[in-house]
Amino acid sequence: MARVLTPRAEDFPRWYQDLIAKAQLADNGPVRGTMVIRPAGYSIWERMQAEMDARIKIAGAENAYFPLFIPESYLKREADHVEGFSPELAVVTHGGGKQLAEPVVVRPTSETVIGEFMAKWVDSYRDLPLLLNQWANVVRWELRPRVFLRTSEFLWQEGHTAHATEEDARNYARKILHEVYEDFMVGVLGIPVVVGRKTNRERFAGATSTYTLEGMMGDGKALQMGTSHELGQNFAKAFDITYSAASGGVEHAWTTSWGTSTRMLGGLIMSHGDDNGLRVPPRLAPIQAYVMVVKDGDGVAAAATKLRDALRDAGVRVGLDDRVDTAFGRRAVDAELKGYPVRIEVGPRDLAAGNAVVVRRFDGSKTAVPVADVVGRVLAALDEDQQKLYDEALAFRQSHTVEVSTLADAIAATATGWARVPWSAVGVDGEAEANGQGVTVRCLVRADGSVPDSQDEPDLVAILGRSY
Amino acid sequence: MARVLTPRAEDFPRWYQDLIAKAQLADNGPVRGTMVIRPAGYSIWERMQAEMDARIKIAGAENAYFPLFIPESYLKREADHVEGFSPELAVVTHGGGKQLAEPVVVRPTSETVIGEFMAKWVDSYRDLPLLLNQWANVVRWELRPRVFLRTSEFLWQEGHTAHATEEDARNYARKILHEVYEDFMVGVLGIPVVVGRKTNRERFAGATSTYTLEGMMGDGKALQMGTSHELGQNFAKAFDITYSAASGGVEHAWTTSWGTSTRMLGGLIMSHGDDNGLRVPPRLAPIQAYVMVVKDGDGVAAAATKLRDALRDAGVRVGLDDRVDTAFGRRAVDAELKGYPVRIEVGPRDLAAGNAVVVRRFDGSKTAVPVADVVGRVLAALDEDQQKLYDEALAFRQSHTVEVSTLADAIAATATGWARVPWSAVGVDGEAEANGQGVTVRCLVRADGSVPDSQDEPDLVAILGRSY
């Protein structure tokens, strides 16, 4: 088979770009740093949304929608926040043919405008917790854009909550971290994320704690797949989000925010893709089984349609390719590129023997299967390959992570993967030194793998890596 | 019961604003003309999206996402289009702390940027039809904003398709009009829309035909609920969307676009709302049945929870209100405002007699029903009241529409509703005259109610009305 993509081992970034183009996942937009998400990519994002949204609702948050345009003055109310986002803002100066009295910024994130409305809506402790989420586009001007990973506009969900106590806010930020994000990434995306705490240097602009989920990509680099923040009372004070307590006094609320974005599409590609294209985990896949008519022949189209229907009736998300006027080889290459977990090839020769061929994207294995057994075989393959993708990614991460005891060894190890090193051997000075060499502390974890409350806890482990 | 809203008969616009505020559907945003859609409003929008999206997918269109930012130069390529939208544009002049070389506009609609990519993606007749849709926010600067009806930013879906022939494009624009929009508006929203053709004066900037669905609101005015456009080859020529035909030559494609927006929330309120609040048609309602604990008492909470579960098991979207620390009257007023189709009130007295009280939002009727019969009664009420809301709106429209034969009579009739008048009695001059008096030709229909191919057909009926 002719080589379709630049091999990963030859040039990983090039492979990534090739795959996105050839699998028709996305294109670069006309304005620098923007992207067009094509149907093959967007259908995966819709499945991510559906899975995430269900978990967010179970966690009790309600969806709402806040404006794209934010008065510039709002951003200035929280000092760290404005400092963090100013360099990335897009500013609207003209509207309706006139210069605006006050320029408005295109939201880079919505803590400020949502803070303003939380202040209006929260009156008493009975109004708390206030648990909101929105699905929206945001804009952060990118000088070195890369599709899905860093784009000037991206799609995301951003959750924003207000609580009566610090403890309640902390518990909720962690509930989202584990029950929504980790559960989705491990269980659906099949990516063995490490869940930890960002250092003070790396935390979100305006937060008191930032929790993160870090995935190892196929080149050994780290991708921040999602974050959940405790904002303390910073935004509550900046926007005057107060409530009358049961005890009678007036108190500032404690807020959180948390987000995941179309960047997860980049993580999906770089975690599971191979030299033939994408491999979409079965639980995520918009098309889990793809029935292909190899070529016309006696009863072939009818048999393919019947298999499609039987799979659909069994609850499988199924597609049918009967474009026999296009060469089968070309269609098969395209199916590999798009990463459908299982293909069922129906051709005259196999069908004459009562068989169809089941091809598993995970390992490329092809098996002739009696037509009557296809549904059962597909269901089993979908279950197994979900687990195998995860296991493979976990094994890769483990084999590309080293335990070291010095900063120098840790930095050296990031050439091929991650380093686990005692945080006490790094510290804030060592962190700055690593940054100077393009290496970041991805997160801090406790020795038992749990998430610390502060970077000042003893015996923390720092995970160092390179990112995009 | 104390008056909660300004009565409709007293001041309809004030009633509308009151309802939106008191039912917590939306708030005005901080930047003029923008809005915040609160959870009670957004959950209805999500249901609209789900119902529409399913129909759009059945019609064969695939979702994608195109950038928010469009180079100013793109808009200028189609002369009518730029003329139509220029006065409403928001312009970004600064990004990432620097002045941009070329200002970018925030999309008011996406024909231009999608046209650019259709030209890239379409090569041969085999690539056609290309059927795309996106769910997105758009910006059109509004000088006289009104929540949901005219806002500077709104949410919508916009479909964009390219076809090999004019006939195929026309058929698709009409398929969407009838099978997606009319089917949804009549069958789910319960709004008896009139489906017709816009006059040349009223058609979309850049279109050759604009089809529309017009709803009559509770004050007799007209609301354009959605539109579907044939764009001819205007955008195909401006963006060079060409394909090699089966016959060998290179041809320009024919394109369509079609959209519906959060404006439908305004239409919902003004079609079905009454002096006590919103009435959401059962098929649309995010919460169809709302189980309320009237007050604590022997087994009351358990009975309410059991009813909630039984309704859920029967496929009903159900909510439970057990906030007994808030006065029941206040909660009941809130449930009326939010328009839940059926309430099930569970209190100690009725429960002692083995009953719960079923309250129908449509007519306010209250019936004590044996607990074992509640599920069946609720299912029947949901079915019936969907139809009754539609019937009531249809009767209202019919009683507020007059048949007249002159322009003067037609204009006079729009004081209270719509006029049906021969288009030959209006014409382009009469249309301009009506516009001068704040009256528009909402659409043209044939005598048999079907949709004309041109405003030059004989024997067309013009429907005149006032709008917002």
Side-chain angles (χ1 to χ4, degrees):
Chain A
M1 193 157 73
R3 160 177 143 166
V4 178
L5 304 175
T6 305
R8 287 187 304 163
E10 188 178 310
D11 185 341
F12 195 87
R14 179 73 177 275
W15 163 84
Y16 178 76
Q17 304 275 25
D18 277 6
L19 192 157
I20 288 170
K22 297 265 174 71
Q24 303 188 332
L25 301 178
D27 253 345
N28 291 313
V31 172
R32 186 174 166 71
T34 63
M35 65 177 161
V36 174
I37 309 178
R38 302 183 67 174
Y42 199 83
S43 62
I44 300 175
W45 175 240
E46 282 183 303
R47 286 278 309 132
M48 289 180 174
Q49 288 187 297
E51 293 280 347
M52 295 273 295
D53 196 66
R55 287 168 174 77
I56 289 168
K57 283 178 168 134
I58 288 169
E62 295 184 297
N63 285 339
Y65 187 77
F66 292 83
L68 175 69
F69 293 150
I70 301 180
E72 215 171 27
S73 58
Y74 279 29
L75 263 87
K76 295 181 177 159
R77 288 201 216 161
E78 213 291 330
D80 288 339
H81 193 68
V82 69
E83 192 187 320
F85 282 103
S86 279
E88 302 179 353
L89 298 178
V91 184
V92 176
T93 53
H94 290 74
K98 289 187 180 153
Q99 181 149 9
L100 302 179
E102 182 189 355
V104 300
V105 303
V106 183
R107 64 177 162 225
T109 179
S110 302
E111 278 76 7
T112 59
V113 64
I114 294 180
E116 176 81 2
F117 284 88
M118 283 180 162
K120 278 184 71 171
W121 299 336
V122 172
D123 187 33
S124 105
Y125 68 95
R126 290 169 200 244
D127 301 320
L128 298 174
L130 176 59
L131 310 175
L132 299 171
N133 179 63
Q134 79 173 357
W135 292 94
N137 54 345
V138 286
V139 169
R140 298 176 186 178
W141 213 263
E142 273 295 345
L143 298 179
R144 289 164 300 119
R146 195 152 172 208
V147 173
F148 295 136
L149 301 182
R150 276 195 319 267
T151 46
S152 292
E153 180 193 9
F154 54 90
L155 305 183
W156 78 344
Q157 61 67 219
E158 51 177 321
H160 297 269
T161 68
H163 304 260
T165 66
E166 179 173 25
E167 187 190 3
D168 196 46
R170 172 163 303 165
N171 289 342
Y172 200 78
R174 289 180 174 230
K175 178 187 182 79
I176 294 293
L177 183 74
H178 294 294
E179 294 176 21
V180 177
Y181 292 169
E182 185 179 9
D183 187 70
F184 169 72
M185 292 174 192
V186 168
V188 180
L189 289 185
I191 299 179
V193 287
V194 168
V195 186
R197 180 189 182 85
K198 286 287 185 192
T199 62
N200 295 352
R201 187 183 176 102
E202 293 287 334
R203 74 185 167 205
F204 177 73
T208 56
S209 291
T210 289
Y211 306 111
T212 183
L213 305 99
E214 302 281 325
M216 181 183 280
M217 304 294 107
D219 60 354
K221 288 187 179 174
L223 187 72
Q224 177 182 304
M225 302 280 296
T227 48
S228 183
H229 315 288
E230 287 180 59
L231 305 173
Q233 294 182 311
N234 293 344
F235 287 87
K237 285 181 175 163
F239 289 88
D240 207 24
I241 310 169
T242 58
Y243 69 96
S244 54
S247 61
V250 172
E251 309 273 357
H252 280 99
W254 299 78
T255 67
T256 81
S257 67
W258 27 281
T260 55
S261 74
T262 40
R263 167 180 279 195
M264 288 193 293
L265 284 162
L268 172 75
I269 296 166
M270 294 195 294
S271 292
H272 297 313
D274 67 17
D275 287 347
N276 296 322
L278 189 55
R279 294 186 300 174
V280 187
R283 272 185 214 140
L284 179 67
I287 294 178
Q288 299 175 301
Y290 194 59
V291 179
M292 302 183 72
V293 176
V294 176
K295 60 177 181 178
D296 272 336
D298 207 24
V300 172
T305 303
K306 211 168 150 189
L307 274 173
R308 189 265 314 265
D309 294 346
L311 285 162
R312 189 161 55 192
D313 292 348
V316 175
R317 293 185 291 274
V318 61
L320 173 66
D321 173 11
D322 55 5
R323 298 169 295 161
V324 288
D325 54 347
T326 302
F328 178 72
R330 189 169 150 193
R331 291 184 284 135
V333 165
D334 188 59
E336 295 267 303
L337 276 166
K338 294 220 165 78
Y340 308 131
V342 178
R343 298 201 304 274
I344 301 98
E345 301 179 351
V346 185
R349 206 169 13 168
D350 288 304
L351 194 62
N355 291 334
V357 176
V358 172
V359 188
R360 291 162 75 158
R361 182 64 184 85
F362 172 71
D363 57 6
S365 66
K366 299 187 182 198
T367 316
V369 173
V371 168
D373 298 346
V374 164
V375 171
R377 194 65 75 93
V378 168
L379 290 171
L382 294 174
D383 262 5
E384 285 169 28
D385 292 351
Q386 177 76 33
Q387 187 63 43
K388 285 183 173 175
L389 279 167
Y390 178 84
D391 291 346
E392 187 188 86
L394 180 62
F396 182 85
R397 191 191 86 198
Q398 286 169 338
S399 67
H400 288 74
T401 300
V402 295
E403 301 268 353
V404 297
S405 57
T406 69
L407 177 63
D409 286 351
I411 290 174
T414 62
T416 52
W418 293 357
R420 290 170 51 92
V421 56
W423 172 232
S424 58
V426 182
V428 293
D429 293 339
E431 186 182 10
E433 189 185 330
N435 286 184
Q437 297 179 52
V439 175
T440 43
V441 177
R442 304 311 306 167
C443 62
L444 303 174
V445 296
R446 293 193 182 123
D448 65 2
S450 67
V451 180
D453 288 328
S454 147
Q455 72 176 32
D456 301 326
E457 285 184 15
D459 303 324
L460 294 182
V461 175
I463 295 171
L464 271 65
R466 294 176 185 272
S467 63
Y468 299 93
Chain B
M1 194 155 72
R3 160 178 144 165
V4 177
L5 304 175
T6 305
R8 288 187 304 163
E10 187 178 309
D11 185 340
F12 194 86
R14 178 72 178 274
W15 165 83
Y16 178 75
Q17 302 276 26
D18 277 6
L19 192 158
I20 288 170
K22 296 265 174 71
Q24 304 188 331
L25 300 178
D27 253 344
N28 291 311
V31 172
R32 186 173 168 74
T34 63
M35 65 177 161
V36 174
I37 309 177
R38 302 183 67 175
Y42 198 83
S43 61
I44 299 175
W45 175 241
E46 283 183 303
R47 286 279 309 133
M48 290 181 174
Q49 289 186 294
E51 293 280 347
M52 296 272 296
D53 196 66
R55 286 167 175 78
I56 289 168
K57 284 178 168 135
I58 288 169
E62 295 185 298
N63 286 338
Y65 187 78
F66 292 83
L68 174 71
F69 293 149
I70 301 180
E72 215 171 28
S73 58
Y74 278 27
L75 263 88
K76 295 181 178 159
R77 290 201 215 161
E78 212 291 331
D80 289 338
H81 193 68
V82 67
E83 191 186 322
F85 282 104
S86 280
E88 302 178 352
L89 298 178
V91 184
V92 176
T93 53
H94 290 73
K98 289 188 180 151
Q99 181 148 8
L100 301 180
E102 181 189 356
V104 300
V105 302
V106 183
R107 63 177 163 225
T109 179
S110 302
E111 278 77 7
T112 60
V113 64
I114 294 180
E116 176 81 2
F117 283 89
M118 283 179 164
K120 278 184 71 169
W121 298 336
V122 172
D123 187 33
S124 106
Y125 69 96
R126 292 169 199 243
D127 301 321
L128 297 175
L130 177 58
L131 310 175
L132 299 172
N133 179 64
Q134 77 172 358
W135 291 94
N137 53 346
V138 286
V139 169
R140 298 177 186 179
W141 213 261
E142 274 294 345
L143 297 179
R144 290 163 299 118
R146 196 152 170 207
V147 173
F148 295 135
L149 302 182
R150 277 197 317 268
T151 47
S152 293
E153 179 194 9
F154 54 90
L155 304 183
W156 77 345
Q157 62 66 219
E158 51 177 320
H160 297 270
T161 69
H163 305 260
T165 66
E166 180 174 25
E167 187 191 4
D168 197 46
R170 173 162 303 164
N171 289 342
Y172 200 78
R174 287 179 176 234
K175 180 187 180 79
I176 294 293
L177 183 74
H178 294 294
E179 295 176 19
V180 177
Y181 293 170
E182 185 180 9
D183 186 72
F184 169 72
M185 290 173 194
V186 168
V188 181
L189 289 184
I191 298 179
V193 287
V194 168
V195 186
R197 180 188 181 86
K198 286 288 185 192
T199 62
N200 295 352
R201 186 183 176 102
E202 294 286 336
R203 75 185 168 207
F204 178 73
T208 57
S209 291
T210 289
Y211 307 110
T212 182
L213 305 101
E214 302 281 326
M216 181 182 282
M217 303 294 107
D219 58 355
K221 288 188 178 172
L223 187 72
Q224 177 183 302
M225 302 280 295
T227 48
S228 183
H229 316 289
E230 285 181 60
L231 304 173
Q233 294 183 309
N234 293 344
F235 286 88
K237 287 181 175 163
F239 288 89
D240 208 24
I241 309 170
T242 58
Y243 69 96
S244 53
S247 61
V250 172
E251 309 272 356
H252 280 101
W254 299 78
T255 67
T256 81
S257 68
W258 27 280
T260 53
S261 74
T262 39
R263 168 182 278 196
M264 290 193 291
L265 284 162
L268 172 75
I269 296 166
M270 294 195 296
S271 292
H272 297 314
D274 67 15
D275 287 348
N276 295 323
L278 189 56
R279 294 187 301 174
V280 187
R283 270 183 217 142
L284 179 67
I287 293 179
Q288 300 175 301
Y290 193 59
V291 179
M292 302 183 72
V293 176
V294 177
K295 61 179 184 179
D296 272 337
D298 207 22
V300 172
T305 304
K306 212 168 151 188
L307 275 173
R308 190 265 315 265
D309 294 347
L311 286 161
R312 188 160 57 192
D313 292 347
V316 176
R317 294 186 290 274
V318 60
L320 174 65
D321 173 12
D322 56 4
R323 297 168 297 160
V324 289
D325 53 348
T326 302
F328 177 72
R330 190 170 149 192
R331 291 185 285 135
V333 165
D334 188 59
E336 296 267 303
L337 277 166
K338 295 218 164 80
Y340 308 131
V342 178
R343 299 202 302 274
I344 300 97
E345 301 178 352
V346 185
R349 210 169 9 170
D350 287 303
L351 194 63
N355 292 333
V357 176
V358 172
V359 188
R360 292 162 73 158
R361 182 64 184 83
F362 172 72
D363 58 6
S365 67
K366 299 189 182 196
T367 315
V369 173
V371 167
D373 298 345
V374 164
V375 171
R377 194 65 76 90
V378 168
L379 290 171
L382 293 174
D383 263 5
E384 286 169 26
D385 292 351
Q386 178 77 31
Q387 188 62 45
K388 284 183 174 175
L389 278 168
Y390 177 84
D391 291 344
E392 187 188 86
L394 180 61
F396 182 84
R397 191 191 86 197
Q398 287 170 338
S399 67
H400 288 73
T401 301
V402 295
E403 300 269 354
V404 297
S405 57
T406 69
L407 177 63
D409 285 352
I411 291 174
T414 61
T416 53
W418 294 356
R420 289 170 52 91
V421 58
W423 172 233
S424 60
V426 181
V428 293
D429 293 340
E431 187 182 9
E433 188 185 330
N435 286 183
Q437 297 179 52
V439 174
T440 43
V441 178
R442 304 310 306 166
C443 63
L444 303 174
V445 296
R446 293 195 184 121
D448 67 0
S450 66
V451 180
D453 287 329
S454 149
Q455 72 176 32
D456 301 326
E457 286 184 17
D459 303 325
L460 294 182
V461 176
I463 295 171
L464 271 65
R466 294 176 185 270
S467 63
Y468 299 95

